[in-house]
Amino acid sequence: MRTFMDDHFLLHNGTAVDIYESIKDLPIIDYHCHLDPKAIAENARFHNITELWLGGDHYKWRLMRHNGVPESHITGDAPDHEKFAAFCATMQDCIGNPVFHWAHLELKKYFGYDGNITAENAAEIYALCNSQIEREDFSVHSVLKKCRVEWLATTDDPADDLGYHKQIRDANAHGVPKVLPTFRPSQVLEIEKPTYAAYIKRLAEAANINITDWDSLRAALSNRLDFFAQMGGCISDHSLEPPVFDPSVTDNDAAKAMKKALAGEGLSSREIVAYKTRLLSWLGGEYYGRNWVMQLHMLVQRNNNSRMFKLLGPDTGFDCIADESFSLALARILDDMESRDALPRTILYSLNPTHDDLLATMIGNFAGRGIRGRMQWGCPWWFNDNKTGMQKHLTTLANHGMISTFIGMLTDSRSFLSYPRHEYFRRILAQQLGEWVEAGEFPRDMNRLSKIAGDIAYYNVKNFF
């Protein structure tokens, strides 16, 4: 019987071990996350392990709710040591859950703790972690350096002044990992929401352009794209819930819809789709012209618990996988841009794993133009970034394309301790490649295998951006 989380954790044959050894120390590029730029700019320190580990982490909150932990000990005002004890009491029974593995990897990586997370060990773990957190050299920057983070990309609104990104950029000479802003224009696309008109005013102030119509909206967005580029930005991100596209609509249709929305008038479904169709089409061309990468995240069903949404707001653990058809709309979005020679390098994500084969084959429709890995099916995301999801992702991608062009893992996390997820992925990657070799399905050429694994773990994403 194997020892829990030994050096060969998740590696079950000699080839897998050799492959992992060849990639384990490569730097990390985290091209999509939700870390706080303010905390990075100010090299934040933390009061204790509860703040650092449980603050804002809805993965852990959901598990604690499953275990019957009262909200006072999750997001409420219970003492921090009691919240931590409640988490440990939950974790001890989470067999098969990725958070169980991640939590142990994080304790080992950052605090040197090799024991098990249990209710009985909670006080010991709490004291050990806090003794190290209290040290002057334990900070956001030290955490990022410890995992060899080369650069990361945060998620930012077009109206953001990116002041903290400027501070980070100015501090780069002191060894701070590079932090890129990501242009996420969700609010400008959400024309159907009652907050739309107020947001357009905020965007106008940021761009110093009076937004009154379709043309001035695009001028303001172009202004902000230029600003993001000046700050190092080269990535956009869209949450399409779900994708919509009507090839029959025109810019004039979008302009009329926008005028009605700014006046506070209600919109028909066709008017909403017209606006979103034309704006996303235009934005794709802007990304292409700037040589940016476009990310499309799809099929999230958000804020399902209205009572808890009123109490806690968004991103607190009440979202789930959506189940809607979107293949034709997505193909039309990509084809619209491709037909105008304006399709940027693109990463597609769906939260619904039933769409794995769809996306793995969709990227093949728009691959080519002499660009290796031009179209990407992004890594297993959110509810899918577990052992099963990663294994399925790798095998499905290999079945339908070239796994060797895949750009690998990201954290999509709000936690500064989440970087061992890259180790988790690299171990699963090494094991999958090793299985194919040990089964006689690929030659045991370690130079070739190490290159494939190294490309997926680091070099492909480095070159992609």
Side-chain angles (χ1 to χ4, degrees), residues 75 103 134 258 326 336 422:
T75 61
E134 290 168 0
M258 180 184 173
F326 67 94
D336 168 76
H422 283 259

Side-chain angles (χ1 to χ4, degrees), residues 120-170:
E120 293 76 15
N121 292 339
E124 174 193 358
I125 299 169
Y126 192 74
L128 171 69
C129 293
N130 289 345
S131 68
Q132 297 188 40
I133 289 171
E134 290 168 0
R135 287 173 13 201
E136 190 171 343
D137 63 348
F138 194 101
S139 65
V140 164
H141 293 178
S142 68
V143 167
L144 295 175
K145 291 175 186 175
K146 191 174 185 67
C147 279
R148 300 177 303 281
V149 178
E150 185 171 306
W151 63 261
L152 61 89
T154 58
T155 307
D156 310 278
D157 189 275
D160 196 309
D161 67 6
L162 302 184
Y164 293 116
H165 285 83
K166 185 177 186 304
Q167 290 184 39
I168 298 165
R169 185 182 65 180
D170 293 345

Side-chain angles (χ1 to χ4, degrees), residues 224-294:
R224 301 310 291 168
L225 284 163
D226 290 341
F227 174 63
F228 269 62
Q230 291 168 14
M231 296 301 297
C234 61
I235 311 169
S236 69
D237 181 41
H238 293 263
S239 183
L240 306 181
E241 301 164 3
V244 293
F245 193 89
D246 184 347
S248 71
V249 300
T250 65
D251 281 355
N252 189 49
D253 295 323
K256 290 178 180 178
M258 180 184 173
K259 184 176 180 180
K260 288 179 66 174
L262 291 178
E265 299 177 26
L267 300 176
S268 68
S269 296
R270 187 176 188 277
E271 288 170 326
I272 293 169
V273 171
Y275 175 84
K276 293 186 176 185
T277 293
R278 297 313 308 152
L279 186 54
L280 182 56
S281 174
W282 177 80
L283 283 168
E286 292 296 300
Y287 304 148
Y288 179 80
R290 289 171 168 80
N291 197 29
W292 281 26
V293 169
M294 177 174 71

Side-chain angles (χ1 to χ4, degrees), residues 28-181:
I28 287 173
I29 292 175
D30 191 16
Y31 55 94
H32 177 72
C33 74
H34 297 276
L35 295 179
D36 181 8
K38 181 177 185 290
I40 303 173
E42 297 177 350
N43 194 22
R45 296 173 54 80
F46 304 92
H47 293 99
N48 55 44
I49 185 60
T50 303
E51 178 190 12
L52 177 57
W53 222 18
L54 302 183
D57 194 336
H58 53 76
Y59 284 84
K60 297 185 178 80
W61 295 350
R62 287 174 69 99
L63 289 174
M64 294 169 77
R65 292 180 185 126
H66 277 302
N67 202 38
V69 175
E71 200 65 31
S72 61
H73 286 64
I74 302 172
T75 61
D77 57 2
D80 283 350
H81 71 277
E82 292 185 13
K83 288 183 176 179
F84 187 78
F87 171 68
C88 291
T90 297
M91 192 72 352
Q92 66 186 2
D93 293 328
C94 283
I95 185 170
N97 190 282
V99 178
F100 183 83
H101 290 155
W102 297 344
H104 284 87
L105 286 171
E106 289 166 13
L107 283 182
K108 187 173 184 178
K109 179 71 175 181
Y110 296 109
F111 302 102
Y113 184 76
D114 287 318
N116 299 331
I117 302 173
T118 64
E120 293 76 15
N121 292 339
E124 174 193 358
I125 299 169
Y126 192 74
L128 171 69
C129 293
N130 289 345
S131 68
Q132 297 188 40
I133 289 171
E134 290 168 0
R135 287 173 13 201
E136 190 171 343
D137 63 348
F138 194 101
S139 65
V140 164
H141 293 178
S142 68
V143 167
L144 295 175
K145 291 175 186 175
K146 191 174 185 67
C147 279
R148 300 177 303 281
V149 178
E150 185 171 306
W151 63 261
L152 61 89
T154 58
T155 307
D156 310 278
D157 189 275
D160 196 309
D161 67 6
L162 302 184
Y164 293 116
H165 285 83
K166 185 177 186 304
Q167 290 184 39
I168 298 165
R169 185 182 65 180
D170 293 345
N172 268 344
H174 303 290
V176 182
K178 186 164 64 172
V179 179
L180 307 183

Side-chain angles (χ1 to χ4, degrees), residues 318-329:
F318 301 97
D319 307 324
C320 69
I321 294 168
D323 185 18
E324 299 178 66
S325 176
F326 67 94
S327 62
L328 182 57

